[in-house]
Amino acid sequence: MIITGAISHPRMVASLLKSLADLHDGNLPYAVAIFHQIPKASTFLWNTIIKACFRNHAPEESISFYLQMRRKDILPDNYTFQFLFKACSQCTLTQGGEAIHGNFTKLFGKSDVLVGNALIHMYSEFGWADVARQVFEEMGLKNVVSWTATVGGYVKIGAMAEAHRLFDEMPERNVVSWTSMIAGFAQNGMAEEAVGYFRRMLAEKIRPDVVALVSVLSACAQLKDLDLGKWVHQFVDRERICMSGNFSVALIDMYAKCGDLDAARKVFNYTDRKSLASWNAIIDGYCKVGDLCEARLLFDQMVERDLITFNSMITGFVHRSRHKEALLLFSELRASGLNPDKFTYVGLLTACSNLGALNQGKLLHAYIEESSIELDVFLETALLDMYAKCGKIDQATLVFNRMPKKDVLAWTAMISGLAVHGSGRSALSHFSMMQKQGVRPNVVAYIGVLNACSHSGLVEEGRLHFNEMISKYNIEPEVEHYGCMIDLLGRAGYLKEAEELIETMPIEPNAVIWGSLLGACRVYNDVNLAEKAAKHLLILEPDKDAVYVLLYNVYVSSGRWANAAEIRQMMEDRGIKKIAGCSSIVVDGLVHEFIAGDRSHTQFKEIQAIIGEMVKRLKLLGYVAGTSQISLDIDEEEKEDALFSHSEKMAIAFGIMKVGGNLPIHVLKNLRVPTSMRVNNAGDDSHPQHIEIRFLLENIEAQLKGFKITGYQLDSMTEEHR
């Protein structure tokens, strides 16, 4: 055109510009350059360049050209505004959209069906369903697109009841109308309604497209309706509908959430171009069924990962009590350059809570405060729960008091934290405040309340709240509530009442309940009731060491040595060994573990000396070791002559030796560990608190970056130094 001179012909240039505008993802700068060569562009050409901008994902440029058009006194037409409303929809330009709507009204008054549909779509995209409905009502002529766009506005804001009413008034429905309703129900957790509309759609002989089928698969995943999900899969194969990437992901997700991982994996394997979403769907599926080995294998094969990938793995590890692996993944997440979100931190804080990993929890809290993540009730509850479970109830209270909004989970976490710290009165006070603020307690809240009563010996209060559950809130006690009450009554010595409560339970008592009763029998030396409890426990948990140890101690305390010997023989015959207790303490960044009865620590003699001094001073203050329940060689930690090998005492003594006098000693108690472990050598990651050590080292390295230290080069660190 340039060579022949046709480029100067207005109609030829207009044709070229229109061709460029009709292309999606075309060369917009080229089209704009051609437009600027036109000396006197018509309204049609201005419309063409405005259309080209929003079709090439530059809606702001569309608005800019409209403003230039008005400055040149070029009169827009209906098509101009139709394109402009679409551009405003694309960039959610609310104020600009309203202003342009005002311009249109001044120039033309009422809109035709095309402009009206564009307006409805724009306001629907803004989330202004009522304004979209007003435009719809003012339209003289409406078509199926008008109805569908208005229904879609209500679907977009989740107003499914209004969408349903308008949908039923539609004189004509197409596949887009049906799909909009099905998708709306599926996205708003109304899976049964989504499936119902899908069946109605089929009954009216409307052939669903792949978009509708994706929403149906989402509903099937929510309902775990594997049969319908398989039918959809077969329908697509039978009708030869081209499977989009979204459909493949939805199919994998449906099979995974319905528990058919073999089918999900088959779809994943046969997907030619595996998107990141398909990888995430199959990994999440394996995580949810607990197959973390397969999930991790797939995770390691991925070339690209996003935050969803990491969150799925972290959540999977936490749900399967593999908390250290969850924390280790956080290190990989940070190394990848991705920014954690609140779901990441909730999972990691839960891991810290279960590990008692206070230092890591503090670091996570610092990361949260440094980031731009907005605190919400879920994240703040996870924070206070972490501090409470790591022994920092004051810090937990501080987090709780700063929360602007508290739901029942937050109140319950605070009540439970106070309960386990022995602050029963304070826990009950918080429970009372919760009720006064209009927060209705649930079953979990009452577990916290009853635990508070149990840990603080508040028998009357416990009875009152247990009965109040039913009379005031119509909450039927579950086995956990009965367990709390048995523990409360047993600790206080009301063994007969505890036994009667067990016998009148409407549900089958579990091992926790019988274990609580057996523990109380040991304290109060009730041999007959102990034998009854142990009989049930040996049926429920024949391989657990606790029942044998407790019953053995009851016999020893009562002087029934023959029965005690029988229990010891039974343990030997069944291969059951009492697992030693373990306590650990972090000093100068190193984790020191102490196993009950283990004397292998390099400073064991010094530790013994400190314990001896501790005991001497305690005795001067009137302390007398409780030796009335000493057994032979089953429960070594309870013997006064084995005092020096008590894991907690050794950890405390070591802390006194190494930690300054004004600093707190934080001991992590793991009641039972299967084997004794040692501090690891360089390159070895088998240490039980390897993750905590690595967390600390990463924090040190992060702080060292940017600082010049004589003789220290971060990049030149050898692996052993690291």
Side-chain angles (χ1 to χ4, degrees):
M1 288 174 67
I2 292 171
I3 291 170
T4 61
I7 194 70
S8 61
H9 195 287
R11 291 185 64 182
M12 293 293 288
V13 175
S15 295
L16 175 60
L17 190 63
K18 184 177 183 302
S19 298
L20 288 167
D22 287 340
L23 291 173
H24 287 283
D25 299 319
N27 192 331
L28 183 60
Y30 181 57
V32 170
I34 290 175
F35 177 79
H36 285 312
Q37 292 179 20
I38 302 171
K40 291 184 179 180
S42 63
T43 299
F44 172 79
L45 290 175
W46 281 96
N47 289 348
T48 303
I49 194 64
I50 289 171
K51 178 182 178 183
C53 288
F54 83 77
R55 293 192 75 167
N56 284 274
H57 315 294
E60 294 88 352
E61 292 298 314
S62 296
I63 312 300
S64 176
F65 273 109
Y66 169 68
L67 296 175
Q68 294 175 43
M69 181 183 185
R70 296 308 307 271
R71 284 195 292 268
K72 293 179 181 291
D73 292 327
I74 307 296
L75 191 66
D77 59 14
N78 280 5
Y79 289 104
T80 313
F81 287 99
Q82 181 185 340
F83 300 148
L84 286 170
F85 292 142
K86 289 181 179 179
C88 291
S89 303
Q90 199 175 90
C91 62
T92 322
L93 189 65
T94 56
Q95 291 183 336
E98 286 185 295
I100 293 168
H101 187 188
N103 289 346
F104 173 81
T105 304
K106 288 179 183 178
L107 290 171
F108 299 101
K110 291 188 176 181
S111 59
D112 63 18
V113 67
L114 293 178
V115 176
N117 289 347
L119 260 175
I120 293 170
H121 179 71
M122 180 187 77
Y123 284 122
S124 296
E125 286 296 310
F126 293 170
W128 300 356
D130 291 338
V131 181
R133 179 66 175 269
Q134 186 179 343
V135 173
F136 173 80
E137 296 294 350
E138 291 173 355
M139 288 173 62
L141 180 65
K142 305 177 182 72
N143 61 14
V144 67
V145 177
S146 316
W147 285 89
T148 302
T150 309
V151 168
Y154 286 115
V155 169
K156 193 170 184 69
I157 64 171
M160 294 308 299
E162 192 61 37
H164 167 74
R165 282 192 289 271
L166 192 60
F167 181 85
D168 285 346
E169 294 174 13
M170 290 179 69
E172 178 189 358
R173 305 182 187 100
N174 60 14
V175 65
V176 179
S177 315
W178 284 100
T179 300
S180 181
M181 291 299 294
I182 294 167
F185 282 125
Q187 291 164 10
N188 285 280
M190 304 168 71
E192 291 184 2
E193 289 83 351
V195 170
Y197 265 70
F198 178 63
R199 297 189 190 280
R200 282 178 59 189
M201 179 184 183
L202 296 177
E204 293 194 15
K205 308 298 182 185
I206 304 292
R207 186 175 184 267
D209 61 10
V210 71
V211 180
L213 295 173
V214 167
S215 296
V216 175
L217 287 174
S218 174
C220 292
Q222 294 175 47
L223 295 171
K224 294 185 170 45
D225 190 341
L226 183 59
D227 291 336
L228 180 58
K230 285 182 176 179
W231 184 91
V232 171
H233 192 179
Q234 293 164 359
F235 176 82
V236 169
D237 288 341
R238 185 172 64 250
E239 298 293 318
R240 298 184 181 276
I241 297 174
C242 182
M243 286 202 299
S244 66
N246 287 341
F247 182 84
S248 296
V249 172
L251 199 57
I252 294 167
D253 185 63
M254 181 277 297
Y255 278 125
K257 287 180 177 172
C258 290
D260 193 345
L261 264 297
D262 290 338
R265 187 60 179 267
K266 190 176 293 185
V267 174
F268 175 79
N269 290 340
Y270 281 107
T271 302
D272 292 330
R273 294 183 178 180
K274 296 178 176 63
S275 65
L276 181 57
S278 64
W279 281 92
N280 287 342
I282 191 67
I283 286 173
D284 187 62
Y286 279 117
C287 286
K288 281 187 167 59
V289 299
D291 191 349
L292 294 172
C293 293
E294 193 62 34
R296 182 72 208 215
L297 284 173
L298 289 166
F299 179 88
D300 291 337
Q301 292 172 25
M302 295 178 72
V303 177
E304 177 191 3
R305 305 182 186 103
D306 63 5
L307 193 56
I308 295 173
T309 323
F310 280 96
N311 284 351
S312 292
M313 289 298 306
I314 288 170
T315 304
F317 281 130
V318 171
H319 284 171
R320 293 287 163 171
S321 299
R322 293 167 63 171
H323 306 297
K324 293 183 180 180
E325 289 165 275
L327 292 176
L328 186 58
L329 265 182
F330 180 61
S331 301
E332 294 186 45
L333 169 60
R334 294 189 64 217
S336 72
L338 294 169
N339 293 318
D341 61 9
K342 64 181 180 182
F343 301 104
T344 318
Y345 284 118
V346 167
L348 293 168
L349 287 168
T350 303
C352 292
S353 298
N354 286 283
L355 287 171
L358 177 62
N359 289 335
Q360 288 64 55
K362 285 181 175 179
L363 282 175
L364 291 172
H365 193 176
Y367 290 140
I368 292 167
E369 291 187 340
E370 290 172 5
S371 68
S372 57
I373 293 175
E374 184 179 354
L375 287 171
D376 62 10
V377 66
F378 300 105
L379 185 52
E380 288 171 312
T381 301
L383 268 172
L384 83 87
D385 187 60
M386 180 276 295
Y387 279 119
K389 289 181 178 174
C390 289
K392 292 290 184 180
I393 193 63
D394 291 343
Q395 190 65 36
T397 304
L398 188 62
V399 173
F400 178 78
N401 290 338
R402 287 177 177 174
M403 292 176 67
K405 181 183 177 183
K406 304 177 181 75
D407 63 4
V408 67
L409 295 177
W411 283 101
T412 300
M414 193 67 240
I415 291 165
S416 299
L418 290 165
V420 298
H421 283 80
S423 301
R425 295 287 181 191
S426 181
L428 296 184
S429 175
H430 278 75
F431 184 65
S432 179
M433 285 190 287
M434 178 183 84
Q435 293 172 294
K436 288 176 181 176
Q437 292 188 18
V439 180
R440 180 185 174 87
N442 58 15
V443 292
V444 183
Y446 268 106
I447 291 174
V449 168
L450 295 174
N451 264 327
C453 296
S454 177
H455 283 282
S456 299
L458 305 175
V459 179
E460 288 303 319
E461 291 84 349
R463 289 173 179 147
L464 174 68
H465 286 296
F466 184 75
N467 294 325
E468 181 189 73
M469 285 176 59
I470 308 168
S471 61
K472 188 173 181 179
Y473 293 106
N474 199 28
I475 298 174
E476 287 296 324
E478 297 179 358
V479 68
E480 291 84 1
H481 301 102
Y482 282 102
C484 292
M485 282 303 297
I486 301 303
D487 188 57
L488 168 62
L489 295 170
R491 286 171 183 257
Y494 295 95
L495 301 185
K496 188 64 178 177
E497 185 179 345
E499 182 184 12
E500 290 173 356
L501 184 59
I502 293 175
E503 290 174 350
T504 57
M505 282 174 58
I507 46 184
E508 193 69 26
N510 61 13
V512 175
I513 287 176
W514 288 114
S516 295
L517 184 62
L518 179 56
C521 291
R522 177 196 171 189
V523 173
Y524 291 99
N525 206 27
D526 190 328
V527 179
N528 293 331
L529 189 53
E531 289 178 329
K532 179 179 179 179
K535 180 180 178 182
H536 289 280
L537 274 171
L538 289 172
I539 295 172
L540 293 170
E541 294 182 341
D543 298 325
K544 293 288 182 71
D545 67 324
V547 56
Y548 299 93
V549 172
L550 284 170
L551 187 57
Y552 175 89
N553 289 331
V554 171
Y555 285 139
V556 169
S557 300
S558 305
R560 293 172 59 170
W561 304 107
N563 295 112
E566 288 176 6
I567 295 295
R568 288 187 61 189
Q569 188 61 47
M570 189 185 299
M571 291 179 70
E572 290 180 12
D573 294 342
R574 298 182 180 182
I576 295 167
K577 295 181 179 179
K578 179 180 180 292
I579 302 173
C582 170
S583 299
S584 59
I585 183 171
V586 179
V587 176
D588 296 331
L590 291 176
V591 180
H592 295 263
E593 285 197 334
F594 299 92
I595 310 297
D598 180 22
R599 296 169 174 253
S600 63
H601 195 280
T602 55
Q603 293 181 281
F604 180 73
K605 289 183 179 179
E606 293 91 327
I607 294 168
Q608 279 186 315
I610 294 290
I611 294 176
E613 183 63 24
M614 288 165 54
V615 172
K616 186 187 299 181
R617 294 190 185 187
L618 286 168
K619 285 184 176 180
L620 289 174
L621 293 171
Y623 167 75
V624 178
T627 58
S628 60
Q629 295 178 350
I630 296 174
S631 53
L632 295 177
D633 58 353
I634 294 295
D635 198 355
E636 291 296 321
E637 287 195 1
E638 290 195 24
K639 291 185 178 181
E640 188 175 7
D641 60 4
L643 187 64
F644 286 46
S645 63
H646 192 296
S647 67
E648 277 185 344
K649 292 183 177 69
M650 288 194 289
I652 293 168
F654 187 76
I656 291 172
M657 284 171 53
K658 298 294 184 180
V659 179
N662 294 325
L663 295 175
I665 297 172
H666 183 223
V667 176
L668 177 64
K669 176 71 173 177
N670 181 354
L671 291 177
R672 296 289 177 259
V673 293
T675 56
S676 176
M677 299 183 181
R678 302 287 179 268
V679 176
N680 56 320
N681 296 318
D684 176 25
D685 63 357
S686 63
H687 190 276
Q689 289 182 289
H690 166 68
I691 309 303
E692 291 91 323
I693 297 169
R694 180 163 173 176
F695 242 96
L696 181 62
L697 289 174
E698 284 193 356
N699 190 43
I700 293 169
E701 288 195 19
Q703 293 181 52
L704 285 172
K705 287 180 179 177
F707 289 90
K708 291 183 179 179
I709 301 175
T710 304
Y712 179 85
Q713 290 284 335
L714 182 65
D715 294 336
S716 66
M717 287 176 72
T718 66
E719 191 60 36
E720 186 167 347
H721 289 149
R722 288 187 181 277

